[in-house]
Amino acid sequence: MKSRDREATRQRLFHAARSLFAEYGYEHVTVRMIAAEADANVALVARYFGSKAELFAEVLAGEPSIRQVFGGDTEGLPRRLAEYAAQRMHAEPDSPILRSLERSAGHPEIQNVVRDRLRNVIIEPLARLLAESGEPAASMARARLVTSIFLGIGTLRRLVGPEQGTPADVDRLTAVFAAALKP
Amino acid sequence: MKSRDREATRQRLFHAARSLFAEYGYEHVTVRMIAAEADANVALVARYFGSKAELFAEVLAGEPSIRQVFGGDTEGLPRRLAEYAAQRMHAEPDSPILRSLERSAGHPEIQNVVRDRLRNVIIEPLARLLAESGEPAASMARARLVTSIFLGIGTLRRLVGPEQGTPADVDRLTAVFAAALKP
DNA sequence: TCGGGTTGTAAACGGGCGTATACTTAGCCA
DNA sequence: TGGCTAAGTATACGCCCGTTTACAACCCGA
């Protein structure tokens, strides 16, 4: 018998799920894994969150976005994006959001969740930012392209392993984002 | 009872698998789906290909690569890459290779297959090309970056849907690849 | 203190998966 | 033409999945 504290147990399950989803993606995480990691009973996942999919959605909703990167001057945006991406390239990200997105996108059950999250949190805020500041030309296409590059970097990192990013890489990445963002 | 032609049946299974893997990815295709699509018996998948994973590997091995894009002058490479990517962005690709890669990368059972394919067919040929022609500086990093962008475009397309690419998009994409390739 | 509601547990359910096995049937050749 | 071999079939196996259910243990207020 465990702590007998509903909220604490719920939290343990939530954090276990968050960590595991980030590491392995929706499909490869089982509710039994989550329960084991949280040192709780399997049935409690369904009881406290309704279903595995709802738990995933709740995890996703609780994640901070990369909106912070968007703040600041527009001229510096490419470099901030590059540094953020380079950091993700060779370090464990503290936020599992993008990894979750990348790793979980194949599952039809949560595809809508993932898609909406991607749109609402990354693409459209970025597009709005571009539309408001400076030249609004093709802001949506530019936002999509930037998002593509982000996703691709994560995917490649996951597939062929991390690479230590040299300053030259960050420079190159900056140039890439600048090219993607040029009106 | 069917045609009773071993090679024909094998071919039907192979093509059904190719089509389904491209559409749904490794994980979401079952051997029963393949068999139904090929109008063959489930057991024949194991008999003719050993296992689902081996069948997938065979499908992957049979795919043409994007090496063709690499041929030609190095100056025109960014635009060829951009056109290839833009075409993939809004059209059904006739080759399922990249989609398979994107969609199947999460499965540990075939992760090695996917990773090796990605390395041997895209990254390393491209890196070699870059190293041989012109400035060899950071050819590997450049090849990785280009591959990242490719993967990301495919992922985004799959997640939020295709977008018709305008000529301006191709121009922008060309600039992006040029920035990624600049020594 | 004791009973009722809350929390946690164990087991089972129904289903899908990849794969293996025992069997039936078709086609060819002596 | 009859039988043998290769091709195809039906079914079952074992496993894991998410979820449900029936039950046990605990805590707290009356």
Side-chain angles (χ1 to χ4, degrees):
Chain A
M1 188 87 12
K2 289 296 138 35
S3 58
R4 206 149 190 102
D5 179 335
R6 179 191 174 92
E7 203 47 46
T9 305
R10 218 191 106 104
Q11 286 289 323
R12 288 207 316 280
L13 284 168
F14 182 87
H15 287 114
R18 189 188 115 105
S19 161
L20 288 169
F21 281 144
E23 185 65 26
Y24 303 110
Y26 182 78
E27 327 208 38
H28 299 293
V29 172
T30 71
V31 292
R32 284 170 177 83
M33 288 168 64
I34 297 172
E37 181 77 14
D39 206 14
N41 191 277
V42 201
L44 298 181
V45 171
R47 184 174 310 181
Y48 289 156
F49 299 95
S51 69
K52 181 191 174 189
E54 290 172 84
L55 170 54
F56 181 77
E58 193 169 323
V59 165
L60 225 53
E63 290 304 309
S65 70
I66 59 162
R67 266 183 150 117
Q68 37 169 357
V69 179
F70 300 161
D73 55 334
T74 319
E75 311 91 75
L77 186 58
R79 174 150 292 267
R80 289 202 303 281
L81 287 168
E83 278 164 358
Y84 188 85
Q87 163 198 331
R88 287 193 63 246
M89 194 77 163
H90 64 94
E92 290 300 302
D94 40 359
S95 161
I97 158 81
L98 271 177
R99 288 171 79 189
S100 282
L101 289 175
E102 292 153 15
R103 300 203 170 193
S104 311
H107 207 289
E109 187 179 345
I110 54 159
Q111 203 150 13
N112 291 343
V113 177
V114 170
R115 195 194 52 227
D116 293 348
R117 172 86 186 172
L118 199 60
R119 275 211 273 242
N120 298 335
V121 173
I122 306 185
I123 300 179
E124 285 181 1
L126 184 54
R128 237 176 290 126
L129 179 77
L130 295 175
E132 287 164 3
S133 72
E135 307 225 17
S139 58
M140 201 62 191
R142 287 188 278 157
R144 281 177 58 109
L145 189 48
V146 167
T147 308
S148 289
I149 299 170
F150 255 98
L151 289 176
I153 288 172
T155 303
L156 193 75
R157 181 205 130 90
R158 171 165 51 88
L159 280 174
V160 304
E163 187 105 319
Q164 65 278 19
T166 67
D169 287 336
V170 178
D171 288 345
R172 195 193 326 279
L173 214 44
T174 303
V176 166
F177 280 119
L181 285 169
K182 182 147 48 181
Chain B
M1 189 80 20
K2 289 296 136 38
S3 57
R4 206 142 190 111
D5 178 334
R6 178 190 176 94
E7 203 46 46
T9 304
R10 218 190 107 104
Q11 287 288 323
R12 287 205 318 278
L13 284 168
F14 181 87
H15 287 115
R18 190 188 115 105
S19 161
L20 289 169
F21 282 144
E23 185 66 26
Y24 303 109
Y26 182 78
E27 328 208 38
H28 299 292
V29 172
T30 71
V31 292
R32 285 170 177 82
M33 286 168 64
I34 297 172
E37 180 78 14
D39 206 13
N41 191 275
V42 200
L44 298 181
V45 170
R47 183 173 311 179
Y48 289 156
F49 298 95
S51 69
K52 183 191 173 188
E54 291 173 84
L55 170 54
F56 181 77
E58 192 168 324
V59 165
L60 226 53
E63 289 306 308
S65 71
I66 60 162
R67 264 183 151 117
Q68 37 168 357
V69 179
F70 299 160
D73 55 334
T74 319
E75 311 93 74
L77 186 58
R79 173 150 292 269
R80 289 202 303 281
L81 288 168
E83 278 163 359
Y84 188 84
Q87 163 199 330
R88 287 193 63 244
M89 193 78 162
H90 64 94
E92 290 301 303
D94 41 358
S95 161
I97 157 82
L98 271 178
R99 288 171 81 189
S100 283
L101 289 176
E102 293 153 15
R103 300 202 168 192
S104 311
H107 206 290
E109 187 180 344
I110 55 158
Q111 204 150 13
N112 291 343
V113 177
V114 170
R115 194 194 54 229
D116 292 348
R117 173 84 186 176
L118 200 59
R119 275 213 273 243
N120 298 336
V121 172
I122 305 185
I123 301 178
E124 284 180 1
L126 184 54
R128 236 175 292 125
L129 180 76
L130 295 174
E132 287 165 2
S133 71
E135 308 226 16
S139 59
M140 201 61 190
R142 289 188 278 157
R144 280 177 58 110
L145 189 49
V146 167
T147 308
S148 290
I149 298 169
F150 255 98
L151 288 176
I153 288 173
T155 303
L156 192 76
R157 180 205 130 91
R158 170 164 51 89
L159 280 174
V160 304
E163 186 105 319
Q164 66 277 20
T166 67
D169 287 336
V170 178
D171 288 345
R172 195 192 327 280
L173 214 45
T174 302
V176 166
F177 280 121
L181 285 169
K182 182 146 50 182

